[in-house]
Amino acid sequence: NPKASLYFDGMNLKQHDFQWTLAPMKETESDTIRQISETIKRNVLPSYANALGFKRVLLNYPSTVDIFFFGIDQNYFVHYKTCMVQSFNTEFTPQGQAILKGGKPAVQTISLQMIETDIHTSEDYGGSSTTEELKDMSIQAHPRTDPHQ
């Protein structure tokens, strides 16, 4: 057979990695970075739920993330779907030990690894549903005839 055979084995969910290196200039900026980090941690971790009179027996899902970049035309950049955070890390010594006056870190690296909750399909980019196209092709290939004619 001179033709190769292929099969479709599904789609993987897209993964995204983000990393920021933050170097506060003042003590108040260190506090703001800490607040940002704590807010992210609170939202990416599950919480306990009570059920049937028992405490802390179930876990609630953590928050999901919608990614938007301000100041750019989204039509020319990656289209992100809703994501779940797979991991969140803060490194306080990315370039060696450096401490500001007052004992706060002089440099921090924050990294997020996320995975989208839905696959990308042709319809996300203006394509039409193949199911509808196949249905239309089927009707054209096998026109219904009235058996009573």
Side-chain angles (χ1 to χ4, degrees):
N1 185 356
K3 304 238 182 209
S5 174
L6 300 173
Y7 70 95
F8 181 70
D9 194 26
M11 297 288 299
N12 292 325
L13 296 171
K14 285 188 175 186
Q15 296 181 336
H16 307 287
D17 296 334
F18 294 95
Q19 182 173 315
W20 299 271
T21 299
L22 308 169
M25 302 296 282
K26 314 182 243 183
E27 194 173 328
T28 56
E29 290 178 354
S30 289
D31 295 336
T32 300
I33 292 169
R34 184 175 178 278
Q35 289 170 355
I36 291 169
S37 180
E38 293 299 318
T39 299
I40 293 171
K41 286 178 189 176
R42 252 192 323 274
N43 284 283
V44 302
L45 296 171
S47 61
Y48 282 110
N50 301 332
L52 304 171
F54 295 100
K55 294 183 178 185
R56 300 172 60 131
V57 293
L58 298 174
L59 290 174
N60 291 316
Y61 286 104
S63 299
T64 56
V65 177
D66 289 313
I67 303 168
F68 300 98
F69 294 106
F70 295 103
I72 65 170
D73 185 344
Q74 289 288 341
N75 294 318
Y76 292 92
F77 293 91
V78 175
H79 170 71
Y80 295 99
K81 291 197 170 193
T82 299
C83 295
M84 292 283 298
V85 175
Q86 288 183 301
S87 69
F88 171 72
N89 295 303
T90 303
E91 186 178 346
F92 296 100
T93 57
Q95 301 166 342
Q97 189 71 20
I99 299 172
L100 292 174
K101 184 177 180 181
K104 297 179 181 177
V107 179
Q108 295 180 48
T109 299
I110 294 176
S111 59
L112 281 169
Q113 290 77 39
M114 295 180 269
I115 188 165
E116 293 185 353
T117 59
D118 196 13
I119 63 168
H120 286 251
T121 63
S122 174
E123 291 83 1
D124 295 326
Y125 301 93
S128 62
S129 172
T130 314
T131 305
E132 292 300 318
E133 289 175 11
L134 290 173
K135 187 188 299 182
D136 291 343
M137 288 171 46
S138 175
I139 291 170
Q140 291 172 5
H142 305 287
R144 293 186 180 176
T145 57
D146 187 351
H148 300 291
Q149 289 182 348

